[in-house]
Amino acid sequence: MAEPSTFPETIVTESVVRDLLPLYFDGEASEDTRALVEAWFAARPDLALAAGRGERAIEALAGLDGPARTPAEVRAELERIRRMVLVREVAQGLAGALTLLPLLGIALYLLLPGTIPVAVPNALIALVAWFVLTIACWGLYIRSRRQSRSDLLDGR
C-alpha cells in the first residue's frame, strides 16, 4: 500500500466515491481505492445497492452489441430502409391527396355552382373505386409506419 497522504483533513464525499465507481467495477482501482469504496458500501448500503444496479445495467447494455456486419450487409440494410421510407412517403402523399381532392370538389361545387357536372355516368363506380384506393393508400402508409417502428424496436 502507498503511504497515506499528509493532507491535514482529507474529506471524501459521496460524490468522490461515485466518481471512483467505474474504476472499482472495472477492476482498475488500487487497493486503497477499493478499500475506500468498500468502506463506503459498508456504511451506506443504499449506495452499494444503487451502484450494483448501475453496474448490472452497464453489463446488460454491453451485451447489446450486435454481430459485426460487412459493408455489403450495411449497404443492403440502408437500401431496404431507403425503400421503406420511399414507400411510406409516397403512400402518405397519395392518401392525403386522395382524401383532400373530394373535399376540394365538394367545396368547389358549393362555392361555384355549375363548375362540376352533376350527372356523371358511372359516378357510383368511380366513387367506390376512389374510396377503395384511398383506404388502400392509408393502409399501406400505416403498415409501413408500423414496420419501421418495429424495426427500430427489434434493433434491425
Side-chain angles (χ1 to χ4, degrees), residues 6-85:
T6 56
F7 294 113
E9 294 180 17
T10 304
I11 299 174
V12 178
T13 63
E14 182 178 339
S15 297
V16 172
V17 174
R18 286 184 183 272
D19 290 342
L20 295 173
L21 290 179
L23 292 172
Y24 177 81
F25 285 118
D26 285 343
E28 297 177 10
S30 67
E31 290 179 29
D32 291 340
T33 303
R34 291 189 73 70
L36 175 70
V37 170
E38 288 167 2
W40 269 83
F41 283 169
R44 296 271 315 275
D46 59 322
L47 178 64
L49 184 64
R53 277 195 307 260
E55 177 62 17
R56 284 190 297 279
I58 290 171
E59 288 172 359
L61 287 174
L64 291 180
D65 293 338
R69 295 182 175 194
T70 65
E73 290 173 330
V74 172
R75 276 193 294 278
E77 181 70 13
L78 286 174
E79 187 57 36
R80 187 185 70 80
I81 291 169
R82 281 190 195 110
R83 280 193 311 270
M84 188 184 338
V85 169

Side-chain angles (χ1 to χ4, degrees), residues 120-139:
V120 177
N122 300 324
L124 183 59
I125 294 172
L127 285 175
V128 169
W130 191 281
F131 180 73
V132 168
L133 185 60
T134 303
I135 295 300
C137 285
W138 279 115

